Amino acid sequence: VYDRGVVRILGIAAIAVVAACGAARPPVGLTVIVDGAGADRARDGVAHRGLDGFVVRAVAPPPIVADPPDPIASILATARAAYQDRGDFAACRAAVDPIDVPSLLAVGKREQAARVLVWRTACAWSGLARADARATAALVGQYGLDLPSDAGAVIPEVEAALLDVIEKAAKIERVPLKVAGNSGGRVVLDGKPTGCTLPCTLDVARGDHVVAIEADGKTPAWRVVRAPAKAAIEIPLARASPAEAGAQWRARIARGLPAIDDTGLELVAHAAGDVRVAYVDADGKRVRGALVVDGAVKARGTRDDGDITGLLGDLTRRGGLVAPTPLVKQPRFWIVLGAGVAAAAAITALVVYEPEIITEVGF
Amino acid sequence: MRTAIVTAVIVFAGCGEEHRSITLRLGPDDQTISQGFKCLEEVGATALAARGYTATGPNRGDFVANLVVDFIVLDGVPSCRGEEILAWCGDHACEPAIEQVRFCARVELLDMTLDEIINNTRLPEIYADLRDAGPITTDAPDGPVIVRAVATTQSCAQLQAVGGVYPAFDRTALIGCAYSCPLLLDEVDGDVQLSFDAIGICRLPEVEICAGDLNP
């Protein structure tokens, strides 16, 4: 009986020791995006000091990416020169015909699309491909495009034909077009934001249209669809690349949306390309930040003392990345306990205390 | 917080000691002396008080005696009945608490008759002499005691402790004795009166028991 009791006590003690000490967790990666006015120095500080239990990688927020050079403008200049200066309508068509107008509309370049269609119409008309010219001109009306200033440079017959299709387009029968897909996706029709989010039903002119879907964290996608359609149009979206997510985060800020609302944080964390990402805004004495784990915002915090390492500690604790400090290891616990014991002792002493009585006896 | 600590310290410091004062009466009130000081010799009708009396003229004389006050430590709390006190002290060591200096005060009443003691007429002078001697104690014992006063013609020097023990009173010098009920002096509120249990005339043997630490 004695031996069994000893073994049991030792077993319980061993479990208690293991539970108390815990297996040391190997450090895990944490990407810290430091933004704000004092970001550079703060980033160096974070990288230098690190954070217990983490391999910290301090990075800058996604950069603002400049738009790539646009070849369409030079192609249009080439076509215009061939049309106006040399009367070389074949060269003009060779320049503008390869341009994919729906892809321009998919990214919202409606004016460029209209210019391409105008020159394509003009070059086909003057090249005596009248049927092609009429079909191309019809697209201007079909897509609801405005006539660009280039229309003034083409021959009057072409301009009149373009104005005619625009006028006729207004009379085309309107039909509903149902669009389904990822909830919250924004629908763009013929390069023009519709203001509706998925799922929604559009009121469109009968015929072909370019339907594009945009959503935060997703790669935009588009299709040419014919209205009316028998079923709802669905355009699946793929997860955006980190670069795309960074660009979307910048685009949101440019649109006046907050940088670190939940969507903004999810984008910037995705752009950082890590599972655990902390975003810190070190703008001035007050620092604020948030922690994103697996694409979801887990914690937010603010410190008025400017202590970024402290803020990261707060975030990782609240976000569940590190176990909270046991009560017995918190100085505050011992201070409160000590004060409580002292107060209890003082109260007890006051209650049970009896002063020494000195009695003088005399006559 | 700081204010609370300071207040607590002040409270503790102020309440560290509580001072009280007790007035001892040699009888049931301040106008009467106890029967224990009016006892007679073992035989005859002579008052023991006569032992301190020296005639100075026809029917006049001076009375001189010493009054010794002790705190008899009881090691318990018997009732106030004389028989029970005697029984208690028969079974327990009822001994005077050893003070650094035993209270012993000289009482001197000049040009008087012996009857004046018996009739309490010189009591104010007795109290005046006793008060002049100072307090009986400045810090009474904490435990239960009986306060006992013995009048004797022995000198105060003869009655001080030797080797931690008080000498016994000389029965031939005894004049009177009275004692209080068992009490805790620290809890007494008011005066302490001394008395002497006697039905009828009291005599020397009874005084001797009183002076002999209440042990028959």
Side-chain angles (χ1 to χ4, degrees), chain B residues 13 59 203:
Chain B
N59 206 28
R203 292 189 175 273

Side-chain angles (χ1 to χ4, degrees), chain A residues 4 27-28 81 85 127 133 161-162 171 173 176 195 221 239 262 265 297 320 351 356 359 362:
Chain A
R4 198 178 297 167
V28 295
D85 301 343
L162 289 169
K171 296 173 184 170
E173 181 192 2
R239 182 169 163 78
D262 281 2
L265 285 169
V297 179
V351 169
E356 184 185 354
T359 303

Side-chain angles (χ1 to χ4, degrees), chain B residues 123-143:
Chain B
L123 202 50
E125 290 173 65
I126 293 173
Y127 278 126
D129 284 349
L130 294 174
R131 276 194 287 271
D132 287 346
I136 299 166
T137 179
T138 54
D139 186 9
D142 296 331

